[in-house]
Structures are given as structure tokens and as C-alpha cells.
């Protein structure tokens, strides 16, 4: 429908704004020179309790930096250090506003998605949303706005979606996530000083 496509385009526009803002931060010389300290990647087959492990580790903000729902869905205009309790509270309010507007547009969506993901603004969430900002649009939007990405003729024999999951896109996503980790590591240092 026209409404759903309009909302998808608005989501893509927001993704481009976040993409530009984060990329500009990432090009800062201090961020570029930042060395990621002891990253931890949790990778496993589905349904093996990695989300529980991730969320448990994220409770220790002195040792681990994880990204909260609000960090990923409302990253700008301000990035907040993990130890800044007042700033985290404000970021949580921005996340709550995001969820209220989402619920207004799609009644029942928060409860539906909440059955699979926490959707609690100040709790750790899987880092997939960062990938959306990295591409400049919602990853799933491609499949909704551009039917050719869904067609079997454009998919690969292995079931992947051709150029959407190409080696180049995967490498770009990794570089983007690396940049995000450097930005936040720098934010933690700068705001501490």
C-alpha cells in the first residue's frame, strides 16, 4: 500500500541520516587511530542461549561495552558513554519515544516483536540494527521495496539473495561495525576526561 511504502521510505531516510552522521564521526582522526580493545564476538547456531549470555555480560558495564536498543535505534544526535547513568537515562527516554511512535504507526508491533526481542530501551540487543545504518537503509527494506530481490531468478542456488549478501557487502558490514566499536570506545574515553 501507499502508506506502508511511505513508512518504509521514511525509515530509509532516517537510516541515511544516521549513516551520514555516524560516518562523519567515524572519519575523525582520533576514532580512526583507535584500537579496539579485546572485542568479544558471540557467534553460534540459533537457539543456543547466546542472547542470554550476551545480555548477562552486558550487565557489567565496567568490563563490557554492548549496544542497547536505544543506542542502535536512536543513535544520534548524542552518543552516550556506558558509565554515564544520567545520559543513559535520557537515551532510554529517546528509545521509549521511538517505541511509542512505532506502536502508534503499527499497533501491536511492540508486543509482537517483544516476544522475540527485549525491546527494552536500556537493555542490550543484538547488534543487527547497526548493520541497517551501515547500509544507509533498513536491510529488510530491500525485500519490501524492491521485489526483484525476492525473486528466485535473482537469488543464488545456495538460497542467498545475490548481491545483497555478497562478499563485498559482508566486508563492508564488518568494517562498519568495527567503526561503530571505535566510535563508542572513543566516546567512553572522551566523556570520561
Amino acid at each position: 500500500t501507499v502508506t506502508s511504502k511511505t513508512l518504509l521510505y521514511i525509515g530509509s531516510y532516517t537510516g541515511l541520516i544516521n549513516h551520514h552522521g555516524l560516518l562523519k564521526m567515524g572519519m575523525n582522526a582520533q576514532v580512526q587511530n583507535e584500537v579496539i580493545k579485546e572485542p568479544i564476538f558471540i557467534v553460534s547456531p540459533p537457539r543456543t542461549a547466546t542472547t542470554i549470555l550476551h545480555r548477562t555480560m552486558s550487565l557489567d558495564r565496567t568490563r563490557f561495552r554492548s549496544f542497547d536498543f536505544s543506542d542502535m535505534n536512536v543513535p544520534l544526535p548524542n552518543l552516550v558513554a556506558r558509565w554515564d547513568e544520567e545520559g543513559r537515562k535520557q537515551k532510554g527516554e529517546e528509545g521509549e519515544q521511538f517505541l511509542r511512535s512505532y506502536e502508534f504507526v503499527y499497533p501491536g508491533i511492540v508486543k509482537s516483536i517483544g516476544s522475540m526481542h527485549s525491546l527494552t530501551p536500556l537493555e542490550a540487543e543484538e547488534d543487527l540494527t547497526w548493520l541497517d545504518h551501515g547500509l544507509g537503509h533498513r536491510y529488510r527494506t530491500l525485500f519490501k521495496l524492491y521485489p526483484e530481490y525476492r525473486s528466485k531468478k535473482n537469488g543464488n542456488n545456495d538460497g542467498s539473495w545475490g548481491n545483497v549478501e555478497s562478499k563485498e557487502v559482508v566486508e563492508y558490514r564488518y568494517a562498519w561495525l568495527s567503526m561503530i566499536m571505535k566510535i563508542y570506545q572513543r566516546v567512553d574515553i572522551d566523556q570520561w576526561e
Side-chain angles (χ1 to χ4, degrees), residues 56-69:
T56 302
M57 291 172 69
S58 73
L59 295 174
D60 185 352
R61 289 191 185 269
T62 60
R63 291 178 55 205
F64 303 109
R65 159 52 101 172
S66 63
F67 301 111
D68 296 344
F69 176 86

Side-chain angles (χ1 to χ4, degrees), residues 105-172:
V105 173
Y106 301 106
I109 190 81
V110 172
K111 184 177 180 181
S112 176
I113 294 176
S115 66
M116 298 173 282
H117 295 276
S118 169
L119 295 189
T120 304
L122 292 179
E123 285 186 10
E125 184 55 91
E126 286 87 359
D127 300 339
L128 298 175
T129 305
W130 282 124
L131 302 178
D132 289 341
H133 299 309
L135 294 169
H137 55 75
R138 301 281 182 208
Y139 181 63
R140 292 166 304 281
T141 301
L142 284 176
F143 303 108
K144 294 175 183 171
L145 292 178
Y146 305 104
E148 62 270 18
Y149 284 110
R150 292 192 306 255
S151 77
K152 294 282 185 198
K153 66 182 178 186
N154 287 330
N156 294 328
N157 292 333
D158 62 2
S160 66
W161 292 97
N163 62 355
V164 176
E165 294 179 354
S166 70
K167 179 179 181 244
E168 292 79 16
V169 172
V170 170
E171 288 172 354
Y172 179 77

Side-chain angles (χ1 to χ4, degrees), residues 65 71 75 78-91 184 187-188 191:
R65 159 52 101 172
D71 289 325
N78 60 332
L79 304 179
V80 181
R82 61 181 164 186
W83 49 264
D84 180 357
E85 291 183 28
E86 190 58 38
R88 302 273 355 124
K89 183 179 176 185
Q90 181 180 351
K91 184 56 87 172
Y184 270 94
V187 165
D188 285 345
Q191 290 186 14

